[in-house]
Amino acid sequence: MTASPLDLLVLPAVLVTGRAADEGLAGISDALVYSAMAVYTASLVAYALDLGARRARPRERTLVAAGAAGQEGVTTVEAPHPVGAGGQERQGKAARIGTSLFVLATLLHVGAIVARGLSVHRVPWGDAYEFALTGSVLVSLVFVVLLRRAQRWSWLGSFVVVPVLLALMVATSFFYTEASALSPALQDSWLVVHVSIAFLASALLTIGFSLAVVQLVQHRQEAVLAAGVSPSRFLARVPDSRTLEQTSFQLHAVAFVLWTFTVVAGAIWAAEAWGRYWGWDPKEVWSFVIWVVYAAYLHARSTAGWAGPRSAWIAVLGFACLMFNFFGVNYLFVGNHSYAL
């Protein structure tokens, strides 16, 4: 069979399967994973302390027009967290420590993946353990990019570290496998294309999910505030629910395009590997279910009456489907993707 240009570009670098794994590098990878988990935990503590230590922001009462001419209503406006030179929100000491620890943990995390790949002489995406490592590090990298763009994202740290830590805990406790050669079923250049885009889409969906959860909590806090009850100071620095909703929607919109490409690329790979584009394999079915749920979310978010908490709950459902596709389908169903265990 004649090799395609994509094969000639990618295969020599990633599909070397006849060499034994380097146990020394594999051990270094394992040590780096546990080191990253320890630093992520310290980062989570710092971020949580930053959120919890903030006093509720002062509120100003401003009069705005509401309805008929001459009728006034009262809107509560919360002053932002202190702003420094250049308009950037100034981080508290705990937030700065949390961010520094998070960046260090991410570097250790990346180092673990690189060492794992070098130990097996291929891309480290050959089993569920390696999928969990790589998928979770992309969540961290996306958040680091957000932090580089604006310090105001530091409040989200607690809500990002938790899913990353959980993924690493599950990976090391239940998915761990010894470093080994690539499964023959995965010896294809489409592994790089299909899986890398799926990782990136999943990372964006994870952060979008975190924002949706915080949006739901913040929306409830705003309802409490409207009733005259003092809000929780734990969310004092978190943006209002509308801002959270808009940001979550933007991340989901980008992720949806990437997930669409993931499904299409998977179908093309299936046609090359198994001679058909679609075969109702459990992984294929659930990938399509995820696509449908997020399509419903985007539609609901754009529909009058469904914006706000209702659409956020659909995003939460979509993330639950995403997690089931990764953790549940591989273990509860037998299919063509079972080699990823």
Side-chain angles (χ1 to χ4, degrees), residues 250-297:
Q250 292 171 348
L251 288 173
H252 279 102
V254 175
F256 180 76
V257 174
L258 295 175
W259 192 259
T260 301
F261 180 85
T262 297
V263 174
V264 173
I268 296 173
W269 188 5
E272 290 188 3
W274 304 317
R276 85 302 187 274
Y277 290 97
W278 188 264
W280 298 103
D281 181 77
K283 184 71 72 173
E284 295 172 349
V285 171
W286 275 94
S287 295
F288 181 67
V289 168
I290 292 167
W291 186 91
V292 170
V293 173
Y294 281 114
Y297 162 76

Side-chain angles (χ1 to χ4, degrees), residues 15 71 87 97 109 131 183 204 232 239 264 266 268 312 317 334 337:
L15 300 182
Q71 184 179 3
I97 293 174
H109 197 162
F131 289 168
S183 167
L204 293 174
S232 169
V264 173
I268 296 173
L317 174 62
V334 177
H337 291 78

Side-chain angles (χ1 to χ4, degrees), residues 65-218:
Q71 184 179 3
E72 293 183 327
V74 178
T75 299
T76 300
V77 180
E78 294 186 343
H81 190 60
V83 175
Q88 285 275 1
E89 181 183 346
R90 192 166 66 243
Q91 289 181 305
K93 182 178 180 180
R96 292 196 299 271
I97 293 174
T99 297
S100 298
L101 290 172
F102 186 88
V103 172
L104 174 59
T106 302
L107 291 175
L108 293 171
H109 197 162
V110 170
I113 294 170
V114 171
R116 177 80 174 195
L118 291 175
S119 72
V120 292
H121 319 291
R122 57 170 174 79
V123 289
W125 304 339
D127 51 59
Y129 172 71
E130 295 173 357
F131 289 168
L133 289 188
T134 307
S136 56
V137 81
L138 275 179
V139 176
S140 297
L141 290 172
V142 169
F143 184 57
V144 169
V145 171
L146 291 176
L147 288 172
R148 290 284 297 173
R149 294 186 62 183
Q151 293 179 0
R152 61 186 176 87
W153 285 103
S154 63
W155 65 266
L156 187 58
S158 297
F159 306 97
V160 172
V161 177
V162 169
V164 171
L165 259 179
L166 286 176
L168 291 178
M169 290 172 65
V170 171
T172 54
S173 300
F174 303 103
F175 292 166
Y176 182 79
T177 55
E178 297 292 339
S180 61
L182 194 68
S183 167
L186 295 177
Q187 295 176 25
D188 196 291
S189 56
W190 277 105
L191 172 69
V192 177
V193 178
H194 174 62
V195 178
S196 62
I197 299 300
F199 281 153
L200 181 56
S202 299
L204 293 174
L205 291 174
T206 299
I207 295 181
F209 159 76
S210 297
L211 286 168
V213 170
V214 181
Q215 173 198 337
L216 290 169
V217 177
Q218 188 70 304

Side-chain angles (χ1 to χ4, degrees), residues 203-256:
L204 293 174
L205 291 174
T206 299
I207 295 181
F209 159 76
S210 297
L211 286 168
V213 170
V214 181
Q215 173 198 337
L216 290 169
V217 177
Q218 188 70 304
H219 183 270
R220 182 174 180 82
Q221 289 293 309
E222 291 168 353
V224 169
L225 179 61
V229 180
S230 297
S232 169
R233 72 176 185 176
F234 188 72
L235 296 176
R237 288 189 58 223
V238 176
D240 61 272
S241 60
R242 280 193 171 188
T243 301
L244 293 169
E245 179 184 12
Q246 181 63 29
T247 307
S248 177
F249 172 75
Q250 292 171 348
L251 288 173
H252 279 102
V254 175
F256 180 76

